[in-house]
Amino acid sequence: MTEEKTEEKEMPSTVIVSKCMEFRVKPTKEQKILIWKTFGCCRFVWNHLLDERISYEKMNKGKLLNTTPAHLKKENPFLCEVDSMALINTQLNLNQACNKLFAKGKTPRFRKKGKDKRSYTTNWINNNIEIIHKGDRENYIKLPKLGRVRIILHRSIPDEWRMKHATVKETTSGKFFISLTFDVDIKPIETRKKFDRIEAFDYSMPSLVVSASGENDITQDDIHWYRNLEKRIAKEQRKLSRMKYGSKNYWERKHKTGKLHEKASARRNDFLHKLSCNVSRSFDAVVVEDINLQHMSQSLNFGKSVYDNGYGLLRNMLAYKLNSQVKVLVKVDRFFPSSKRCSACHAVNHDLQLSDREWTCKSCGTHHDRDKNSSKNLLDEGKDILNRWASGDSSLILAPSGVLSEKKLHPQARYNVRQDGE
Ligand SMILES: [Zn+2]
């Protein structure tokens, strides 16, 4: 019965997606103190509720305790000084963490002063958060408890966007930012639409990506901003480790180290934004591999350099940039033998090692560059997926974020290959 219903259901005229924008804020001295107090209260609530939950779970095996921070407020009146939504959000985050980890027999971590993330989230209710324009360059954001905080509006927020929540954070260099999340109506992607210009990216170490078109290859020289700054960061970190926590020198050094980290990530973001922007404008669909980056960094000893080049970030940027232009990102399943298959005759070379950068196909004799061959295979597979989607294949799923992929049932069975080495 339900099946019939979904088939009859027409495509909605709009879908709601979340969009996020981040702005620099410049709180006054008093506002900074209140923000720091809020961070501290969130940590306090997290640790106390977590403690209660752990002991409750031990007593009543398998049952979860769900209490609000209200009872803590009675005994600790200082909690009333800060934004109550921040504390509730802490409780909700803790709930999520407990549900996930208790089931696995683990517990969430306690938060430690000076080591925890310096941020809190508050919700939009009845215009309690509002942008106030005072002059050409003078703008403020009204926030619960804090009042008007100076905000640097480097770009305007469309009027039709509906604010959902706001996260106030302090970076390690001592700057304050606010990230605002909005609900936005967008046109859904037309099902079974035709895509003409398609690009495919193969993830390549130690550079970033190799493209099927050859126009968007990113070599090692183009990236590794972090590596260039790494020596300097290590030096600062050593100095920091000798400082007494909380001293004036400690914070000075901490902010200096933070600045370097921020420099590295700012360069990375800038580079990836430009690349993803170009690609999403010039192509209708982009094909990428759905590889597990965490698994890769741990098992293949690439470690930091996997995170360093921001491949995951690039995929996310591509997804939302394509989506906003009513285009799709195709994720090819991680069991697809993109490296081991010959792009000319589709014979699979099971003997290919990770160290083989070039190889010759035993069936048809074509000589391949490992990454180029891989990107060609991804492009073919991506086209195949798009065609299957166009003909109404129900084993494919289009996520609201605009990512088209196989439904995760038994992906290994589809490609019938060994999992090693890929
Ligand atoms: Zn071949």
Side-chain angles (χ1 to χ4, degrees):
M1 202 178 87
T2 43
E3 263 176 29
E4 263 180 37
K5 260 188 186 166
T6 47
E7 264 175 34
E8 276 173 24
K9 210 161 122 192
E10 267 181 45
M11 279 290 274
S13 55
T14 54
V15 283
I16 299 169
V17 293
S18 290
K19 295 234 182 211
C20 201
M21 268 190 176
E22 193 172 270
F23 299 98
R24 176 96 187 258
V25 284
K26 295 192 169 171
T28 62
K29 188 119 198 232
E30 290 78 36
Q31 287 171 332
K32 273 186 196 172
I33 291 170
L34 187 54
I35 292 173
W36 289 330
K37 265 189 190 169
T38 316
F39 294 159
C41 288
C42 288
R43 185 176 61 237
F44 181 89
V45 166
W46 174 281
N47 287 343
H48 278 217
L49 292 182
L50 177 57
D51 191 41
E52 285 171 13
R53 256 159 243 215
I54 289 172
S55 29
Y56 184 85
E57 217 260 344
K58 269 185 195 151
M59 304 266 287
N60 313 272
K61 269 264 163 275
K63 278 187 188 161
L64 292 174
L65 180 70
N66 187 2
T67 44
T68 61
H71 67 289
L72 291 175
K73 276 187 180 173
K74 271 183 205 154
E75 296 152 33
N76 309 281
F78 61 88
L79 292 176
C80 300
E81 286 174 40
V82 304
D83 188 349
S84 60
M85 284 314 294
L87 305 181
I88 290 173
N89 281 319
T90 305
Q91 178 218 340
L92 295 177
N93 286 344
L94 179 66
N95 274 359
Q96 238 175 23
C98 285
N99 287 346
K100 213 168 136 190
L101 291 173
F102 280 165
K104 290 183 191 167
K106 293 179 191 168
T107 49
R109 271 187 214 165
F110 285 97
R111 291 191 177 164
K112 215 170 154 189
K113 193 173 180 182
K115 295 261 162 76
D116 61 331
K117 56 174 188 173
R118 300 175 71 73
S119 74
Y120 74 86
T121 300
T122 183
N123 299 18
W124 183 96
I125 308 157
N126 295 330
N127 274 334
N128 62 343
I129 305 170
E130 201 180 5
I131 304 275
I132 298 156
H133 304 284
K134 265 210 135 174
D136 242 4
R137 294 179 151 255
E138 205 186 341
N139 297 299
Y140 292 88
I141 182 161
K142 193 178 90 188
L143 286 164
K145 297 272 179 183
L146 282 172
R148 290 179 176 197
V149 185
R150 185 90 193 259
I151 186 170
I152 312 298
L153 279 182
H154 63 277
R155 54 192 291 194
S156 58
I157 304 164
D159 290 337
E160 62 275 19
W161 288 19
R162 303 179 299 278
M163 201 185 291
K164 258 167 67 189
H165 44 85
T167 300
V168 177
K169 51 189 157 190
E170 184 188 8
T171 65
T172 38
S173 69
K175 289 177 192 159
F176 288 86
F177 288 89
I178 190 159
S179 71
L180 306 173
T181 310
F182 302 88
D183 270 342
V184 182
D185 296 318
I186 61 158
K187 249 173 66 183
I189 296 172
E190 220 176 288
T191 339
R192 293 144 209 185
K193 186 185 156 185
K194 267 210 75 66
F195 294 94
D196 299 321
R197 296 164 304 167
I198 304 167
E199 175 69 302
F201 281 120
D202 177 50
Y203 179 55
S204 152
M205 292 296 305
S207 53
L208 178 58
V209 285
V210 170
S211 62
S213 69
E215 291 164 21
N216 297 302
D217 293 355
I218 304 304
T219 61
Q220 204 172 348
D221 298 336
D222 297 329
I223 54 163
H224 286 236
W225 322 264
Y226 182 75
R227 278 287 146 89
N228 300 336
L229 289 168
E230 200 177 34
K231 273 188 190 158
R232 278 174 67 195
I233 290 175
K235 209 169 134 193
E236 293 290 332
Q237 206 87 48
R238 265 199 307 280
K239 284 184 192 163
L240 180 68
S241 68
R242 287 196 290 265
M243 308 263 160
K244 190 173 167 263
Y245 172 75
S247 67
K248 197 172 168 243
N249 283 336
Y250 173 88
W251 285 115
E252 238 165 57
R253 188 60 64 187
K254 177 116 183 150
H255 288 173
K256 232 178 194 171
T257 323
K259 242 176 211 160
L260 283 176
H261 278 289
E262 276 165 30
K263 202 175 195 169
S265 77
R267 285 183 189 172
R268 173 171 47 219
N269 282 349
D270 181 56
F271 179 84
L272 294 175
H273 270 303
K274 280 176 185 156
L275 175 67
S276 57
C277 197
N278 268 338
V279 171
S280 65
R281 275 191 193 146
S282 17
F283 292 92
D284 299 326
V286 179
V287 188
V288 292
E289 254 175 310
D290 185 17
I291 46 173
N292 185 338
L293 294 174
Q294 200 179 358
H295 168 88
M296 258 192 100
S297 95
Q298 282 161 3
S299 69
L300 299 175
N301 292 323
F302 287 140
K304 212 180 288 165
S305 54
V306 172
Y307 292 115
D308 186 12
N309 58 27
Y311 178 65
L313 210 56
L314 176 66
R315 276 194 316 203
N316 290 346
M317 287 180 182
L318 278 172
Y320 83 78
K321 284 178 190 180
L322 287 164
N323 194 25
S324 67
Q325 299 172 60
V326 206
K327 297 170 173 181
V328 290
L329 182 78
V330 181
K331 265 193 188 169
V332 171
D333 198 274
R334 68 187 60 154
F335 296 104
F336 174 67
S338 61
S339 317
K340 295 181 177 181
R341 198 174 83 167
C342 165
S343 57
C345 73
H346 290 192
V348 176
N349 177 1
H350 284 297
D351 304 324
L352 190 73
Q353 299 299 313
L354 199 65
S355 54
D356 299 336
R357 304 315 302 171
E358 288 175 35
W359 57 285
T360 306
C361 174
K362 280 178 195 152
S363 309
C364 70
T366 315
H367 189 71
H368 292 298
D369 170 89
R370 182 199 180 89
D371 297 329
K372 266 277 145 326
N373 176 58
S374 216
S375 65
K376 279 182 199 161
N377 276 326
L378 284 173
L379 182 66
D380 287 346
E381 180 66 13
K383 281 180 180 167
D384 190 47
I385 289 176
L386 285 167
N387 285 336
R388 277 167 52 209
W389 186 49
S391 61
D393 191 330
S394 61
S395 63
L396 296 168
I397 184 162
L398 179 71
S401 57
V403 178
L404 179 68
S405 61
E406 307 272 351
K407 273 185 196 161
K408 295 272 153 75
L409 292 169
H410 300 288
Q412 295 98 319
R414 188 174 145 73
Y415 295 115
N416 193 25
V417 283
R418 296 183 305 185
Q419 297 174 35
D420 51 326
E422 270 295 312

